[in-house]
Amino acid sequence: MQWLPFELHCHTFHSDGKQSLPELAEAAKALGLRGVALTDHNTMTGLTGREEVMAQTGVEVIPGLEWTTFFGHMLTLGIHEYVDWRNLSPFHIHRGIEGVHRQGGLVGVAHPFRVGSPMCTGCFWEFDVADWSKIDYIEVWSTLFPSIRRNNARAFAMWTDLLNQGHRIAATSGRDWHVSDPVTEPVAATYLGVNAELEQASGLTVAALDALKRGAVSVSMGPLLQLQVADEHGHKAGIGETAVPGPAIDVTVNIDFSAREGQWELPEQKLAVKLVSAAGELAAVELTRAQPQASLKLDVTAARWLRAELYGAFCGAHTMIGFTNAIYFQ
């Protein structure tokens, strides 16, 4: 398993961006990203020359598209043929989702609580989702310095509520990247737990989408947060995987300070890692560069899921710096 940083929401001048695909890839490389998803609005023409760009930059380009409708924006990744969205009413989003899934692609709700019309046509999510199990992921963090945005707090809460209902939905960050100019605000990365054997056999795009589908996802503006549990029999489960609950499971959390090192600044401090489930906060530990890992026992007998959240002083604010996706319990 390799944890690789991606940006999963990008635009070029083929829609409303102000950058070419080569410029996007070069800028992503400079930010320490292993790959990007090109999700131009309602077009896939920006993917022309994709193979050449990947060969020249070493940055993986995941093919995608952002459905841009009056009722919401949906990201579609891993498709190779255009899936028409124009016949979708607020009550028929599943027709479009089925078309993406038939191609082996994934669908994600983009920035569900961003201000909508007339400032951003259709940005606010209004589609009626009859079956959330058909949604692969939700962009719970959007734009730069995402942790301090109120609309992202609403999206994060919606994701938590869906987890509490028993849904297994991944959560990602999306910069909604339009311009390659330097920025002064923090950039979050979506780390995908890529299976190395699958990458070797089928390529990085396939392996990255597989990781997203499995929920092997950790999001951070700074260092990479990791989570693992082990039951009384020693059976281990990582992010996105399933474990057997019990009164005293072993939980291990650690912070990888080498992830995208040099792309973020973090004052020397004790960072708080909160372990959160449907019952709320179960425990908290303090970690530092000198002591980046901790293990403890937790009672998760009644828990459906468990995730870790990283808090500290970052870019002039005390905020959530990153979070893991859930480990699920049978």
Side-chain angles (χ1 to χ4, degrees):
M1 186 80 75
Q2 304 177 75
W3 287 89
L4 304 178
F6 282 78
E7 171 52 59
L8 299 178
H9 189 163
C10 304
H11 299 279
T12 68
F13 53 62
H14 285 257
S15 58
D16 63 342
K18 297 181 180 179
Q19 57 192 346
S20 65
L21 183 57
E23 290 170 337
L24 169 63
E26 289 289 355
K29 184 177 181 179
L31 288 173
L33 298 172
R34 183 60 183 86
V36 297
L38 183 57
T39 54
D40 274 321
H41 297 284
N42 298 336
T43 182
M44 298 179 70
T45 57
L47 290 163
T48 302
R50 168 177 173 261
E51 296 291 339
E52 291 81 357
V53 169
M54 292 194 298
Q56 292 169 4
T57 64
V59 173
E60 192 74 9
V61 179
I62 299 173
L65 174 77
E66 183 177 9
W67 288 344
T68 308
T69 81
F70 290 113
F71 313 112
H73 294 189
M74 173 161 275
L75 301 167
T76 63
L77 304 183
I79 57 175
H80 303 285
E81 296 180 7
Y82 185 85
V83 179
D84 200 348
W85 53 269
R86 290 172 296 178
N87 62 344
L88 302 180
S89 76
F91 309 103
H92 297 99
I93 187 66
H94 286 281
R95 290 193 307 215
I97 293 172
E98 289 168 3
V100 174
H101 284 164
R102 278 196 297 270
Q103 291 190 38
L106 304 182
V107 297
V109 176
H111 45 65
F113 293 105
R114 186 180 296 178
V115 63
S117 300
M119 295 180 65
C120 182
T121 301
C123 285
F124 189 89
W125 184 261
E126 296 183 82
F127 280 109
D128 179 42
V129 179
D131 184 358
W132 280 97
S133 68
K134 302 299 183 182
I135 304 295
D136 298 300
Y137 68 100
I138 300 172
E139 190 180 77
V140 300
W141 274 10
S142 180
T143 79
L144 300 170
F145 210 164
S147 66
I148 66 171
R149 313 292 178 184
R150 290 185 179 180
N151 60 308
N152 290 336
R154 293 183 67 186
F156 197 88
M158 180 179 76
W159 172 51
T160 301
D161 186 53
L162 289 167
L163 293 178
N164 290 341
Q165 294 175 34
H167 297 291
R168 298 191 177 195
I169 300 177
T172 67
S173 177
R175 177 174 169 179
D176 205 350
W177 197 357
H178 287 74
V179 183
S180 295
D181 295 344
V183 295
T184 57
E185 293 183 283
V187 175
T190 298
Y191 288 84
L192 301 177
V194 171
N195 183 295
E197 292 183 358
L198 180 59
E199 179 187 356
Q200 182 69 25
S202 303
L204 182 52
T205 287
V206 171
L209 292 173
D210 168 73
L212 181 55
K213 178 66 175 177
R214 289 185 285 109
V217 181
S218 187
V219 174
S220 182
M221 300 184 293
L224 172 63
L225 184 62
Q226 290 284 267
L227 176 67
Q228 187 181 71
V229 302
D231 64 23
E232 60 183 3
H233 303 292
H235 300 144
K236 296 180 179 179
I239 300 168
E241 297 178 337
T242 302
V244 177
I249 66 164
D250 293 308
V251 179
T252 300
V253 291
N254 70 278
I255 302 174
D256 180 3
F257 287 94
S258 67
R260 291 183 64 240
E261 197 169 19
Q263 301 295 337
W264 44 267
E265 295 182 4
L266 191 63
E268 194 63 37
Q269 62 186 295
K270 291 180 179 180
L271 297 168
V273 177
K274 298 180 181 180
L275 297 168
V276 178
S277 79
E281 182 180 328
L282 299 183
V285 297
E286 290 185 336
L287 298 179
T288 63
R289 286 182 181 269
Q291 187 178 353
Q293 181 171 305
S295 296
L296 65 161
K297 289 188 180 293
L298 284 182
D299 184 351
V300 294
T301 305
R304 284 187 168 184
W305 54 272
L306 180 74
R307 71 168 177 246
E309 301 173 0
L310 179 64
Y311 292 87
F314 191 82
C315 202
H318 188 277
T319 186
M320 184 190 293
I321 299 170
F323 62 90
T324 73
N325 272 235
I327 294 175
Y328 301 96
F329 297 106
Q330 291 179 337

